[in-house]
Amino acid sequence: MQTESIAVYGVAALIVATALASGPLVGGVDFTQSQATTGLGEGSATVANATLPADVAFEGGRFGTEGYRLSVPPADVEFASITGRPVLAYRVVVPALDYARVSSSILSPDNEGRFAAQFEGGTVDRERIDCDRYDGRLELLLRSGTDERTVATRRVVIEVVG
C-alpha cells in the first residue's frame, strides 16, 4: 500500500510542477507548439526583372456622365525568390492633377517566377481634366517590414480618350 501512495503522490507532484513551470509564475517555459507566422509586409523578395507598360490612358465614362477612369496595363515582374509576405505596390502619379493612386499585392513564395502586378484604376472628375495628355510616372515599390525600395520607375504620357 505504501508503494501505491508513493506513486500517487509522485504523479500529483509531477502534475503540480508542470502546471507551475508552464504557468505565469515562471516565464520562458512554454509547452505548446508555436507556428511561425509572418505578418503582412514582413519578409523579403528578390526581383530579377521588372517591366512597366507604356500605354496609360484616362478613358472617358459613357454618355459623358462619369469621370475619367485611369487605365493602366499590368506590370510584369520576375521574382527570383520570395520569403514571408512582402507587399508589392504599383503606384501612378500625375503631378499636374495632384493625383496619386496605389494598388498593392501581398506576395508569398507561391508568387516566385513571373508575376503580373495589376493596377486597380481610379477615377478623376470630368471637370478636372482640361488637357489632351498628362505627364505621369509609374512606380513599383517593394515593402518589407519598415523598408521600402523602388523596383522600377517609368515616365509615361497619359492620353485622355473620350
Side-chain angles (χ1 to χ4, degrees), residues 55-134:
D55 300 326
V56 180
F58 280 119
E59 297 175 347
R62 294 183 179 154
F63 310 112
T65 57
E66 299 175 14
Y68 284 90
R69 187 178 74 74
L70 182 60
S71 175
V72 182
D76 292 321
V77 185
E78 180 78 27
F79 288 105
S81 67
I82 300 173
T83 58
R85 297 174 67 184
V87 174
L88 182 68
Y90 191 175
R91 179 165 51 193
V92 177
V93 179
V94 186
L97 295 174
D98 194 28
Y99 179 88
R101 179 148 172 104
V102 177
S103 291
S104 297
S105 300
I106 300 167
L107 303 173
S108 72
D110 294 339
N111 298 120
E112 283 184 12
R114 176 165 261 146
F115 180 77
Q118 302 293 324
F119 184 80
E120 298 176 13
T123 58
V124 175
D125 292 334
R126 188 167 281 281
E127 50 275 353
R128 290 188 63 199
I129 301 290
D130 58 4
C131 295
D132 293 335
R133 65 183 52 89
Y134 291 90

